[in-house]
Structures are given as structure tokens and as C-alpha cells.
Amino acid sequence: GPEEELFRNLTETSGDMGALVLTVNGTTKVLDVRESLGKALEIGGRRVTLRQVLRSLTIGEGGRAEENPNLPDGNPTVIFDMEWGDRKESYYAFALLPGHSPMRRGAGMHSQEAPDFSAAYRYRPRMSRVWIFAFPEGLRYVITSSSGKSSSGSLPIGSRVKHPSMPMDFFIEAVRRIERAELTVQPEEPSKGRPANPAIRVRVAEKAAGESIWLMLGESAQVNLPGGAVSVEFAPRSFSDLGFAVELVRFKNPPYEGTGRASKFESDLSLRDLSTGAVITGTTGVNHPFTHNGWAFYQSAFNDRVRPVISILQVSYDPGKPVLYLGCIMVVSGTLFMLFLKPWLLRLFKSAKGSPAAPFGPAMTLGALVLLSVGTIGGMTALLASPTLSGLLVGALMAATGIAAAFLVAGAALRWSVRRPGPALEIGRLVSLGWCLNTAALVLLMWMRMY
């Protein structure tokens, strides 16, 4: 499109840090950013001071302006103060977003307060990009590169322009210009291995019928209506009843040293409890989720075609996961019983065949069961005394202690069965009973943690 202000910002620059063009009360001045930084200047009866310049502005904690090291020159910005009368305001001027310049700090990207002056930050970013502008008189181009070499000019249909910094012959050619192009979309059914890419088609009705656009998830666009432009955004579903608010502090995808390939994808998150106001921070990355109170935040995807970059998270709440883990422990426990402990108990049964019964008294029976269940008794007591303990950890310790005690007692009974087969068989029965009691205790622990 004919984005004249952006074209001027990219081409009419001066100095290595660019220039700030201010028009105040009919007076226009072009300020070299490097030379004017930190100085108070009079423009149109107002006092202007350039406070800060950032190659890629991002908003950090507490609304603080910070550099985004993962996106060099992605959002070049100048921050300046303006004083008149007893009023003092601070403003942003963006090189690549002239439609939002100047923007008062704290006003947000959609402020309804129109400033009574104009500001343009003219700076040619050090990024590898080809910009093509469609002016009524023809196409024009701007080529920028990370090395600092750049070029600009007209681009007639059929002509070729050589890239200024590529090590090989690399040309850009304007082959065809379509005045009213429309994106063709082919819907596909979701399949394994193919990431979902939802999109919606927005068509303007009534007097301006016929105009339509496609928006992918996280994208926004302006639709022209007879009464003015309307901003349309395809945003993910929002939930307001989670009990906490989630804020994306920054998205990080640092490259491998010496290459342009990203080494990892991470998002710094800030969670604020809506009832207490407590703030919890953490980082989620691929295969390394950030968890809090049963909630897990997974790095799912990102969209770096918009500014600021959008980080897409998969959020799950699975309070039954400890139950699943304890269920696995029970399966392993049963497998150990069937494959290893049961043969020992059968050997006890065979050795005692034909021998007189030798039942234990109540005291000895209770003592043996306590010995076999010492881990379970200790674990349940600990959970009752301190409910904040990890149920998964306590359950694992209970299972491990019960298994160890059963094998130790069963092994001792096998040795004893040579001399006293009847009492040894009774010990084997108590081992089986203790195993059942310990399994029942694990089920009770699962029930306690679930409800």
C-alpha cells in the first residue's frame, strides 16, 4: 500500500541513530538523535528532551521500556519528553509504526487522545528485509540488511534490482501487479503431525459489500466501512474465571551462535492471584512446562509476523495426574507380586503341605502386620499431620517400603520353612494380607488426594 510516512521514515534518515522530526505549533525541526540525546530543546514554544532510544522496544515488568535482544531493530523507538505550561508528558515515536506516532506513554496502542503535534522517527533498521510500496505513480522499494547496507528506488514491472549485501547475485523482480488480489484458502481436515492453523474470513456487508479478508489466529486487520475504519481481531478464547491473570512478560527465541536458527523457544510468564494479589513468575519452554497449583503452561507456538510477537501457550489443568501416577505404582506393585513374590509364597505352601497348622495369636499377628505396613502407617500419618506434603512422593515411598518389607519377610519365611514349615506358611499368609492392606491404603491415599 502507499504508506508514505513509513517510506519516508525508511529513506529520509540522517545519522547512525536516525532523526526525529517534530512539528509543534507550525514549527518543524529535524533532530539528529545521537546529537540531541539528553538535551532540552525549544520547538514551537515547548521544551522537548530526547530521553532514550531503543533499537527494539518491548514493555517489561511495571510498564518499563526495555530492549528486546531477540528481535534486533524489530521496533526502533525514540522516547522524548514534552513540557508546556505546568504540564509534562512523555511520548514514543516509532520508526516502523508511523500510524501510532506520537503515542503518549501509558496510553496504549489504541488511545483516543489525539496529540496536537506530529512526530516521525526516521531510521533505517539493520534487518534483512525487502519493502515494496504501491504508490499511485508506481512501485517503490526499500532493501535493508543486517550489515547496514541498504538501497531504495523505483521498481517498474519487469525490472530487477540487485540486493546490496548478498554475497551472491540476488535480484528482486516485480513480475506482476494485481490491483485487487484476494487470498485463496483451502480448508484441510486436522491430521496427525499437521499443526492446526485456524482462520476466519471477514466479509463487509451492506454498502461496502464485497470486501473480505482472511485472519489467522492472533492476527488483526482494519476493515474500511462507509463510516470509517474498523479494527478486527481473531483472538483466542479468553477465560475470566481461572482465579488468576496471566501476563506474557517476553518471548525469547535466541539463535545458535553464528547461525540464524533459533536454539529454543521460551516465554517468561507472570501470574497474579486475583484474590490475594500475589505474583508468581516462571518460564515455560518446549518440553519444559511452567506449573502452578495444578495448572501447566506449555510453549505451543508463536507468531512473529505481527508486532509485538505473539506467544501461543497450551494450558492444561489436570488435578488427577497424581492419581494416574499412583495407579501406575499400583500396576507395578501387582506385577512384582505376580512375577516374583507369588512364586515364593507357592514354595512356602508346598513346603508346609501335610504339616500341622500353626496359627499365630492376635498379638503376634498384629505385630507382623504392623511390620509389613510400617511404611504405609508412617506415610498416612505424615499426610494427616502435614497435608501440604506431596501425595505422589509419599505414595511412592509407601509402595517402596511395603514392597521391600514383603520381600524381606517372605525371604526370611523361606529360610525358616526348612525347620518350621507350619509357622512359615502362616507368615506367607500374613505377607499376602499385608500386601492387600498396603494396596488398599494407596487407594485411600488416591481418594484423599482426589477429593
Side-chain angles (χ1 to χ4, degrees), residues 329 332-334 336 341 372 398-408 435 438:
I329 294 173
V332 173
S333 173
L336 291 174
L341 190 59
L372 291 166
M398 287 167 54
T401 305
I403 292 171
F407 276 95
L408 286 174
W435 195 285
N438 289 330

Side-chain angles (χ1 to χ4, degrees), residues 304-379:
D304 61 351
R305 290 175 298 177
V306 297
R307 294 294 180 270
V309 174
I310 293 175
S311 179
I312 302 172
L313 307 177
Q314 177 181 337
V315 185
S316 66
Y317 181 65
D318 190 5
K321 188 175 290 186
V323 176
L324 176 64
Y325 291 153
L326 287 175
C328 294
I329 294 173
M330 292 174 61
V331 171
V332 173
S333 173
T335 304
L336 291 174
F337 184 91
M338 294 295 295
L339 297 180
F340 300 102
L341 190 59
K342 184 179 178 181
W344 290 17
L345 299 178
L346 289 176
R347 286 169 60 185
L348 286 174
F349 180 80
K350 290 179 180 179
S351 65
K353 192 173 183 179
S355 300
F360 293 159
M364 192 170 182
T365 300
L366 182 60
L369 290 177
V370 169
L371 176 63
L372 291 166
S373 306
V374 62
T376 298
I377 295 172

Side-chain angles (χ1 to χ4, degrees), residues 73-96:
D73 276 16
N75 187 19
T77 306
V78 165
I79 303 175
F80 61 94
D81 295 339
M82 181 171 290
E83 300 177 62
W84 65 102
D86 58 352
R87 185 176 177 181
K88 179 180 179 181
E89 298 285 357
S90 185
Y91 293 89
Y92 297 107
F94 308 101
L96 305 183

